[in-house]
């Protein structure tokens, strides 16, 4: 029966477990002297994290490194899956950064059905990360969370991607139940009574069929493409990847007479890979590019959109484009 318990809960194992231990260790030196950051590097890293503008789908902005003890799970999730590879690159030691990439790539492969063909590679990367962790920090710093990385791929193969088996929905529902409690006495009875009252309210049937649409407001254009994917002409929400592997910035959107939606945007001309080892970042659709050079305005069908990007500044003129995991088209 034990084998049917899910170990690979991204909230507690990866974000509040491994990622929190690593970042806190680099800041405080709690992983030993190896990797301990200087005060100026901690300040620079904190400023880089604070400067990141996350897309509208991510509702909680990351706070600085002085608030790590108070970070919520979603902040650790945003750091691990989107910010980390950019803000850490010139901050931590190159050896430690290359070691961290093993974890980042393995987690990303396991986080979406889009990458499920690479699960065997993810298993190799997790094993190499565990071995490298001992070499980098010492066997005395190995915890059960580090060991349990060995079982992540097996759980994903059996139960689905990390996004579909995480504890986030459970924690969210606990918050809803908490709001039913009005006072400290008889909490269980209060929750039960509120749930009973709610069950007596007739629910209106909802049409679950998704219909793409364009919404135009005074200074903005929003395009709802599919469940969980919306782009608009605000910088942080305007970037997407096409089937031709073009990185495009949305400028406008329109609807044809036969109700087809077209996106009008400009593609980048100079995208490159952000890292080459242990695999090329382009395999995960992660690219580095300058935004100063864009092609002429072009029209795109929404069926040709693979995913939406999180855009993280790397240098003065360079940005890194990291796919927003839940927006991949896996149908």
């Amino acid at each position: 029966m034990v084998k049917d318990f899910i170990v690979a809960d991204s909230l507690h194992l990866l974000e509040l477990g491994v990622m929190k231990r690593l970042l806190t260790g680099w800041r405080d030196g709690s992983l030993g002297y190896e990797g301990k950051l200087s005060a100026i590097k901690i300040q620079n890293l904190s400023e880089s994290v604070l400067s990141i503008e996350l897309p509208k789908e991510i509702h909680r902005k990351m706070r600085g490194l002085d608030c790590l003890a108070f970070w919520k799970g979603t902040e650790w999730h945003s750091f691990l899956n989107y910010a980390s590879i950019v803000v850490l690159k010139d901050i931590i030691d190159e050896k430690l950064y290359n070691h961290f990439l093993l974890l980042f790539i393995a987690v990303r492969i396991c986080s979406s059905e889009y990458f499920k063909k690479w699960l065997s590679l993810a298993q190799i990367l997790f094993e190499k990360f565990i071995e490298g962790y001992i070499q980098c920090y010492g066997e005395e710093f190995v915890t059960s969370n580090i060991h349990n990385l060995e079982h992540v791929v097996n759980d994903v193969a059996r139960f689905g991607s990390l996004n579909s088996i995480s504890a986030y929905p459970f924690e969210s529902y606990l918050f809803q139940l908490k709001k039913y409690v009005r006072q400290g006495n008889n909490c269980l009875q209060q929750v039960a009574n509120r749930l009973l009252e709610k069950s007596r309210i007739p629910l209106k049937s909802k049409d679950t069929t998704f219909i793409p649409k364009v919404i135009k407001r005074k200074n903005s254009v929003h395009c709802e493409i599919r469940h969980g994917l919306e782009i608009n002409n605000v910088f942080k929400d305007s970037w997407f990847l096409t089937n031709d592997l073009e990185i495009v910035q949305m400028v406008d959107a329109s609807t044809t007479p036969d109700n087809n939606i077209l996106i009008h945007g400009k593609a980048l001309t100079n995208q490159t890979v952000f890292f080459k080892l242990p695999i090329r970042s382009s395999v995960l659709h992660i690219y580095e590019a300058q935004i100063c050079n864009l092609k002429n305005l072009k029209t795109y069908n929404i069926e040709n959109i693979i995913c939406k990007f999180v855009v993280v500044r790397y240098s003065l003129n360079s940005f890194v484009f990291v796919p927003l995991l839940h927006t991949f088209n896996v149908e």
Side-chain angles (χ1 to χ4, degrees):
M1 187 178 68
V2 174
K3 69 180 186 299
D4 292 326
F5 285 94
I6 296 176
V7 173
D9 166 33
S10 60
L11 172 58
H12 297 98
L13 174 61
L14 298 172
E15 281 111 42
L16 295 177
V18 178
M19 189 67 255
K20 183 175 183 178
R21 183 166 180 80
L22 286 173
L23 187 54
T24 305
W26 295 329
R27 186 194 66 174
D28 300 337
S30 56
L31 287 174
Y33 181 76
E34 186 73 30
K36 174 70 171 70
L37 297 177
S38 64
I40 188 63
K41 285 192 173 182
I42 293 173
Q43 180 181 347
N44 292 340
L45 179 56
S46 185
E47 290 173 354
S48 297
V49 170
L50 287 170
S51 69
I52 296 174
E53 292 290 334
L54 296 168
K56 64 181 297 182
E57 289 86 353
I58 303 175
H59 304 296
R60 189 184 294 273
K61 181 178 174 64
M62 289 179 289
R63 289 168 284 181
L65 265 64
D66 56 327
C67 300
L68 285 188
F70 307 102
W71 272 25
K72 299 295 186 181
T74 50
E75 290 173 276
W76 290 107
H77 181 272
S78 297
F79 185 86
L80 171 58
N81 289 285
Y82 304 111
S84 59
I85 58 166
V86 183
V87 299
L88 292 174
K89 185 163 187 178
D90 298 319
I91 296 293
I92 63 175
D93 182 79
E94 183 179 2
K95 173 188 173 183
L96 300 184
Y97 180 80
N98 291 334
H99 173 249
F100 174 77
L101 278 180
L102 299 172
L103 175 69
F104 172 83
I105 296 169
V107 170
R108 181 148 280 261
I109 291 173
C110 293
S111 295
S112 174
E113 293 293 329
Y114 185 85
F115 297 118
K116 63 182 179 181
K117 65 180 179 181
W118 300 107
L119 282 180
S120 58
L121 172 62
Q123 180 65 37
I124 296 172
L125 295 178
F126 274 130
E127 291 172 357
K128 286 186 175 295
F129 177 81
I130 296 170
E131 295 171 4
Y133 189 92
I134 297 172
Q135 296 172 4
C136 289
Y137 305 107
E139 191 172 354
E140 65 272 23
F141 294 109
V142 175
T143 63
S144 60
N145 282 330
I146 301 299
H147 165 75
N148 283 336
L149 294 176
E150 178 79 27
H151 306 293
V152 171
V153 171
N154 184 55
D155 280 356
V156 170
R158 294 187 64 204
F159 303 110
S161 66
L162 290 174
N163 288 346
S164 66
I165 60 175
S166 77
Y168 282 103
F170 173 76
E171 296 281 354
S172 178
Y173 190 65
L174 283 181
F175 177 73
Q176 298 300 319
L177 295 181
K178 184 179 178 181
K179 293 195 293 185
Y180 294 151
V181 178
R182 306 299 185 186
Q183 58 180 343
N185 297 327
N186 302 319
C187 297
L188 185 59
Q189 291 91 326
Q190 292 180 62
V191 172
N193 289 336
R194 299 296 85 75
L195 289 175
L196 182 60
E197 292 167 2
K198 191 174 180 180
S199 68
R200 291 170 177 169
I201 301 174
L203 298 176
K204 295 181 180 179
S205 59
K206 295 183 179 180
D207 184 5
T208 57
T209 303
F210 182 83
I211 302 176
K213 57 181 176 288
V214 175
I215 303 172
K216 292 198 174 187
R217 301 189 177 98
K218 184 176 180 181
N219 296 316
S220 63
V221 181
H222 299 256
C223 183
E224 298 178 3
I225 296 173
R226 54 181 177 264
H227 283 295
L229 175 54
E230 176 186 329
I231 57 176
N232 59 52
N233 58 349
V234 177
F235 181 87
K236 65 179 184 177
D237 290 301
S238 62
W239 298 91
F240 61 90
L241 182 70
T242 69
N243 287 335
D244 296 326
L245 301 184
E246 284 188 311
I247 299 176
V248 180
Q249 183 179 28
M250 173 183 168
V251 176
D252 199 356
S254 61
T255 305
T256 64
D258 54 352
N259 291 325
N260 290 323
I261 294 178
L262 300 176
I263 304 295
H264 311 290
K266 297 181 178 181
L268 292 174
T269 61
N270 57 347
Q271 66 200 53
T272 60
V273 296
F274 184 58
F275 54 80
K276 296 181 179 180
L277 294 173
I279 62 173
R280 295 172 67 86
S281 65
S282 56
V283 173
L284 302 174
H285 297 316
I286 297 174
Y287 303 94
E288 180 184 358
Q290 295 183 353
I291 302 181
C292 56
N293 296 318
L294 293 170
K295 296 180 182 178
N296 294 329
L297 196 66
K298 185 179 174 181
T299 300
Y300 300 87
N301 293 315
I302 60 172
E303 293 81 8
N304 294 330
I305 295 177
I306 295 179
C307 65
K308 180 178 177 177
F309 280 115
V310 176
V311 183
V312 183
R313 183 184 289 275
Y314 175 54
S315 63
L316 183 62
N317 298 315
S318 178
F319 293 81
V320 177
F321 295 82
V322 185
L324 190 58
L325 284 166
H326 75 273
T327 63
F328 277 109
N329 187 4
V330 294
E331 297 177 357

Coordinates of all heavy atoms in Angstrom, one line a residue, residues 50-62 82 221-222 229-240 247-250 291 307-313 319-324 326-327:
L50 N 13.1 41.1 -6.8 CA 12.0 42.1 -6.7 C 11.6 42.7 -8.0 O 10.5 43.2 -8.1 CB 12.5 43.1 -5.7 CG 12.5 42.7 -4.2 CD1 13.2 43.8 -3.3 CD2 11.1 42.5 -3.7
S51 N 12.6 42.8 -8.9 CA 12.3 43.5 -10.2 C 11.5 42.7 -11.2 O 11.1 43.2 -12.2 CB 13.7 43.9 -10.8 OG 14.4 42.7 -11.3
I52 N 11.3 41.4 -10.9 CA 10.6 40.5 -11.9 C 9.1 40.8 -11.9 O 8.5 40.8 -10.9 CB 10.9 39.0 -11.5 CG1 12.4 38.7 -11.6 CG2 10.0 38.1 -12.4 CD1 12.7 37.3 -11.2
E53 N 8.6 41.0 -13.1 CA 7.2 41.2 -13.3 C 6.6 39.9 -13.8 O 6.8 39.5 -15.0 CB 7.0 42.4 -14.3 CG 7.4 43.7 -13.8 CD 6.4 44.2 -12.7 OE1 5.3 43.8 -12.7 OE2 6.9 45.1 -11.9
L54 N 5.8 39.2 -13.0 CA 5.2 38.0 -13.3 C 3.9 38.2 -14.1 O 3.2 39.2 -13.8 CB 5.0 37.1 -12.1 CG 6.3 36.7 -11.3 CD1 5.9 36.1 -10.0 CD2 7.0 35.7 -12.1
P55 N 3.5 37.3 -15.0 CA 2.3 37.4 -15.7 C 1.1 37.3 -14.8 O 1.2 36.9 -13.6 CB 2.3 36.3 -16.7 CG 3.3 35.3 -16.1 CD 4.3 36.1 -15.4
K56 N -0.1 37.7 -15.3 CA -1.3 37.8 -14.4 C -1.7 36.5 -13.9 O -2.4 36.5 -12.8 CB -2.4 38.5 -15.3 CG -2.9 37.6 -16.4 CD -4.0 38.3 -17.2 CE -5.2 38.5 -16.4 NZ -6.3 39.1 -17.1
E57 N -1.4 35.4 -14.5 CA -1.7 34.1 -13.9 C -1.1 33.8 -12.6 O -1.6 33.0 -11.8 CB -1.4 33.0 -14.9 CG -2.2 32.9 -16.2 CD -1.7 33.9 -17.3 OE1 -0.7 34.6 -17.0 OE2 -2.2 33.8 -18.4
I58 N 0.0 34.4 -12.3 CA 0.7 34.2 -11.0 C 0.4 35.4 -10.1 O 0.8 36.5 -10.4 CB 2.3 34.1 -11.2 CG1 2.6 33.0 -12.2 CG2 3.0 33.9 -9.9 CD1 4.0 32.8 -12.5
H59 N -0.5 35.2 -9.1 CA -1.1 36.2 -8.4 C -0.2 36.8 -7.3 O -0.5 37.9 -6.8 CB -2.4 35.8 -7.8 CG -3.4 35.2 -8.8 ND1 -3.9 36.0 -9.8 CD2 -3.9 33.9 -9.0 CE1 -4.7 35.2 -10.5 NE2 -4.7 34.0 -10.1
R60 N 0.8 36.1 -6.9 CA 1.6 36.6 -5.8 C 3.0 37.0 -6.2 O 3.7 36.1 -6.8 CB 1.7 35.5 -4.7 CG 2.4 36.0 -3.4 CD 2.6 34.9 -2.4 NE 1.3 34.4 -1.9 CZ 0.6 34.9 -0.9 NH1 1.1 36.0 -0.2 NH2 -0.5 34.4 -0.5
K61 N 3.4 38.2 -6.0 CA 4.7 38.7 -6.4 C 5.7 38.2 -5.4 O 5.5 38.2 -4.2 CB 4.7 40.2 -6.5 CG 6.0 40.9 -6.9 CD 5.9 42.4 -6.9 CE 7.2 43.0 -7.2 NZ 7.8 42.7 -8.5
M62 N 6.9 37.9 -5.8 CA 8.0 37.4 -4.9 C 8.5 38.6 -4.1 O 8.7 39.7 -4.7 CB 9.1 36.7 -5.7 CG 8.8 35.4 -6.3 SD 10.1 34.7 -7.2 CE 10.1 35.7 -8.7
Y82 N 10.8 29.7 -12.6 CA 10.9 30.8 -13.6 C 12.1 31.7 -13.3 O 12.9 32.0 -14.2 CB 9.6 31.6 -13.6 CG 8.4 30.7 -13.9 CD1 7.4 30.5 -12.9 CD2 8.2 30.1 -15.1 CE1 6.3 29.7 -13.2 CE2 7.1 29.3 -15.4 CZ 6.2 29.1 -14.4 OH 5.1 28.3 -14.7
V221 N -6.0 45.2 -25.0 CA -6.6 44.2 -25.8 C -6.3 42.9 -25.2 O -5.2 42.5 -25.0 CB -6.2 44.2 -27.3 CG1 -6.9 43.1 -28.0 CG2 -6.4 45.5 -27.9
H222 N -7.3 42.1 -24.8 CA -7.2 40.8 -24.1 C -7.7 39.7 -25.1 O -8.7 39.9 -25.7 CB -7.9 40.8 -22.8 CG -7.5 41.8 -21.8 ND1 -6.7 41.4 -20.7 CD2 -7.7 43.1 -21.7 CE1 -6.4 42.5 -20.0 NE2 -7.0 43.5 -20.6
L229 N -5.1 30.1 -20.6 CA -4.1 30.9 -21.4 C -4.8 32.1 -22.0 O -5.8 32.1 -22.7 CB -3.7 30.0 -22.6 CG -2.8 30.8 -23.7 CD1 -1.6 31.4 -23.0 CD2 -2.3 29.8 -24.7
E230 N -4.3 33.3 -21.5 CA -4.8 34.6 -21.9 C -3.6 35.4 -22.2 O -2.7 35.5 -21.3 CB -5.7 35.2 -20.9 CG -6.2 36.6 -21.3 CD -7.0 37.3 -20.2 OE1 -7.7 36.6 -19.4 OE2 -6.9 38.5 -20.1
I231 N -3.6 36.1 -23.3 CA -2.5 37.1 -23.6 C -3.1 38.4 -23.8 O -4.3 38.6 -24.2 CB -1.6 36.6 -24.8 CG1 -2.5 36.5 -26.0 CG2 -0.8 35.4 -24.4 CD1 -1.7 36.1 -27.3
N232 N -2.3 39.5 -23.6 CA -2.8 40.8 -23.9 C -1.6 41.7 -24.3 O -0.5 41.2 -24.4 CB -3.5 41.4 -22.7 CG -2.7 41.5 -21.4 OD1 -1.6 42.0 -21.4 ND2 -3.2 40.9 -20.3
N233 N -1.8 42.9 -24.5 CA -0.8 43.8 -25.0 C 0.0 44.5 -23.9 O 0.7 45.5 -24.2 CB -1.3 44.8 -26.1 CG -2.4 45.7 -25.5 OD1 -2.9 45.4 -24.4 ND2 -2.8 46.7 -26.2
V234 N -0.1 44.1 -22.7 CA 0.8 44.5 -21.6 C 2.0 43.7 -21.7 O 2.0 42.5 -21.8 CB 0.1 44.4 -20.2 CG1 1.0 44.8 -19.1 CG2 -1.2 45.2 -20.2
F235 N 3.2 44.3 -21.5 CA 4.5 43.7 -21.8 C 4.6 42.3 -21.1 O 4.9 41.3 -21.7 CB 5.6 44.6 -21.3 CG 7.0 44.0 -21.5 CD1 7.6 44.2 -22.7 CD2 7.6 43.2 -20.6 CE1 8.9 43.7 -23.0 CE2 8.9 42.7 -20.8 CZ 9.5 42.9 -22.0
K236 N 4.3 42.2 -19.8 CA 4.5 41.0 -19.1 C 3.6 39.9 -19.5 O 3.9 38.7 -19.2 CB 4.4 41.2 -17.6 CG 3.0 41.6 -17.1 CD 2.9 41.8 -15.6 CE 1.5 42.1 -15.2 NZ 1.4 42.2 -13.7
D237 N 2.5 40.2 -20.2 CA 1.5 39.2 -20.6 C 1.4 39.1 -22.1 O 0.5 38.4 -22.6 CB 0.1 39.6 -20.1 CG 0.0 39.4 -18.6 OD1 0.2 38.3 -18.1 OD2 -0.3 40.4 -17.9
S238 N 2.4 39.6 -22.8 CA 2.2 39.7 -24.3 C 3.0 38.7 -25.1 O 2.9 38.7 -26.3 CB 2.5 41.1 -24.8 OG 3.9 41.4 -24.5
W239 N 3.8 37.9 -24.5 CA 4.8 37.1 -25.2 C 4.3 35.6 -25.3 O 3.9 35.0 -24.3 CB 6.2 37.1 -24.6 CG 6.8 38.5 -24.6 CD1 6.6 39.4 -23.6 CD2 7.5 39.1 -25.6 NE1 7.3 40.6 -23.9 CE2 7.8 40.4 -25.2 CE3 8.0 38.7 -26.8 CZ2 8.6 41.3 -26.0 CZ3 8.7 39.5 -27.6 CH2 9.0 40.8 -27.2
F240 N 4.4 35.0 -26.5 CA 4.0 33.6 -26.7 C 4.9 33.0 -27.7 O 5.7 33.7 -28.5 CB 2.6 33.5 -27.1 CG 2.2 34.2 -28.4 CD1 2.3 33.6 -29.6 CD2 1.8 35.6 -28.4 CE1 2.0 34.2 -30.8 CE2 1.4 36.2 -29.6 CZ 1.5 35.5 -30.8
I247 N 9.3 33.6 -31.2 CA 8.9 34.3 -30.0 C 8.2 35.6 -30.4 O 8.8 36.4 -31.0 CB 10.1 34.6 -29.0 CG1 10.7 33.3 -28.6 CG2 9.6 35.4 -27.8 CD1 12.0 33.5 -27.8
V248 N 6.9 35.7 -30.1 CA 6.1 36.8 -30.6 C 5.6 37.7 -29.5 O 5.1 37.2 -28.5 CB 5.0 36.3 -31.5 CG1 4.1 37.4 -32.1 CG2 5.5 35.4 -32.6
Q249 N 5.6 39.0 -29.7 CA 4.9 39.9 -28.8 C 3.6 40.4 -29.4 O 3.6 40.9 -30.5 CB 5.8 41.1 -28.5 CG 5.2 42.1 -27.5 CD 6.0 43.3 -27.2 OE1 6.8 43.7 -28.0 NE2 5.9 43.9 -26.0
M250 N 2.5 40.1 -28.7 CA 1.2 40.6 -29.1 C 1.1 42.1 -29.2 O 1.5 42.8 -28.2 CB 0.1 40.0 -28.2 CG -1.3 40.5 -28.6 SD -2.5 39.8 -27.4 CE -3.9 40.9 -27.8
I291 N 15.3 42.5 -27.1 CA 14.0 42.9 -27.6 C 14.1 44.1 -28.5 O 13.1 44.6 -29.0 CB 13.0 43.2 -26.4 CG1 12.9 41.9 -25.6 CG2 11.7 43.6 -26.9 CD1 12.0 42.0 -24.4
C307 N 2.6 28.1 -26.2 CA 2.6 28.5 -24.8 C 2.8 30.0 -24.7 O 3.1 30.7 -25.6 CB 3.6 27.7 -24.0 SG 5.3 28.1 -24.5
K308 N 2.6 30.4 -23.4 CA 2.9 31.8 -23.1 C 4.2 31.9 -22.3 O 4.6 30.9 -21.7 CB 1.7 32.3 -22.2 CG 1.9 33.8 -21.7 CD 0.6 34.1 -20.9 CE 0.7 35.6 -20.3 NZ -0.5 35.9 -19.6
F309 N 4.9 33.0 -22.3 CA 6.2 33.1 -21.7 C 6.1 34.0 -20.4 O 5.3 34.9 -20.3 CB 7.2 33.8 -22.6 CG 7.8 32.9 -23.7 CD1 7.5 33.1 -25.0 CD2 8.6 31.8 -23.3 CE1 8.1 32.3 -26.0 CE2 9.1 31.0 -24.3 CZ 8.9 31.2 -25.6
V310 N 7.0 33.6 -19.5 CA 7.4 34.5 -18.4 C 8.7 35.1 -18.8 O 9.6 34.4 -19.2 CB 7.6 33.7 -17.1 CG1 8.1 34.6 -16.0 CG2 6.3 33.0 -16.6
V311 N 8.7 36.4 -18.8 CA 9.9 37.2 -19.3 C 10.7 37.7 -18.1 O 10.2 38.5 -17.3 CB 9.5 38.3 -20.2 CG1 10.7 39.0 -20.8 CG2 8.6 37.8 -21.3
V312 N 12.0 37.3 -18.0 CA 12.8 37.7 -16.9 C 14.1 38.4 -17.5 O 14.8 37.9 -18.3 CB 13.3 36.5 -16.1 CG1 14.1 37.0 -14.9 CG2 12.1 35.7 -15.6
R313 N 14.3 39.6 -17.0 CA 15.5 40.4 -17.4 C 16.8 39.7 -16.9 O 16.9 39.4 -15.8 CB 15.4 41.8 -17.0 CG 16.6 42.7 -17.5 CD 16.5 44.1 -16.9 NE 15.4 44.9 -17.5 CZ 15.5 45.5 -18.6 NH1 16.6 45.5 -19.3 NH2 14.5 46.2 -19.1
F319 N 16.9 39.5 -22.3 CA 15.8 38.9 -21.5 C 15.8 37.4 -21.7 O 16.2 36.9 -22.8 CB 14.4 39.5 -21.9 CG 14.2 40.9 -21.6 CD1 14.8 41.9 -22.4 CD2 13.5 41.3 -20.4 CE1 14.6 43.3 -22.1 CE2 13.3 42.6 -20.1 CZ 13.9 43.6 -20.9
V320 N 15.3 36.7 -20.7 CA 15.2 35.2 -20.9 C 13.7 34.9 -20.9 O 12.9 35.4 -20.0 CB 15.9 34.5 -19.7 CG1 15.7 33.0 -19.8 CG2 17.4 34.8 -19.7
F321 N 13.3 34.1 -21.8 CA 11.9 33.7 -22.0 C 11.7 32.3 -21.5 O 12.3 31.3 -22.1 CB 11.5 33.8 -23.5 CG 11.6 35.2 -24.0 CD1 12.8 35.8 -24.4 CD2 10.5 36.0 -24.1 CE1 12.9 37.1 -24.8 CE2 10.5 37.3 -24.5 CZ 11.7 37.9 -24.9
V322 N 10.9 32.1 -20.5 CA 10.7 30.8 -19.9 C 9.2 30.5 -20.0 O 8.3 31.3 -19.6 CB 11.1 30.8 -18.4 CG1 10.9 29.4 -17.8 CG2 12.5 31.4 -18.2
P323 N 8.8 29.3 -20.6 CA 7.4 29.0 -20.8 C 6.6 28.9 -19.5 O 7.1 28.4 -18.5 CB 7.4 27.7 -21.5 CG 8.8 27.6 -22.2 CD 9.7 28.4 -21.3
L324 N 5.4 29.5 -19.5 CA 4.5 29.4 -18.3 C 3.9 28.0 -18.4 O 3.2 27.6 -19.3 CB 3.4 30.4 -18.4 CG 2.5 30.6 -17.2 CD1 3.3 31.0 -16.0 CD2 1.5 31.7 -17.5
H326 N 1.6 25.9 -17.2 CA 0.3 25.4 -17.4 C -0.4 25.8 -18.7 O -1.5 25.4 -19.0 CB -0.6 25.8 -16.2 CG -1.0 27.3 -16.3 ND1 -0.2 28.3 -15.8 CD2 -2.1 27.9 -16.9 CE1 -0.8 29.4 -16.0 NE2 -1.9 29.2 -16.7
T327 N 0.4 26.6 -19.5 CA -0.2 27.1 -20.8 C 0.2 26.3 -22.0 O -0.2 26.6 -23.1 CB 0.3 28.6 -21.0 OG1 1.7 28.6 -21.2 CG2 -0.2 29.5 -19.9

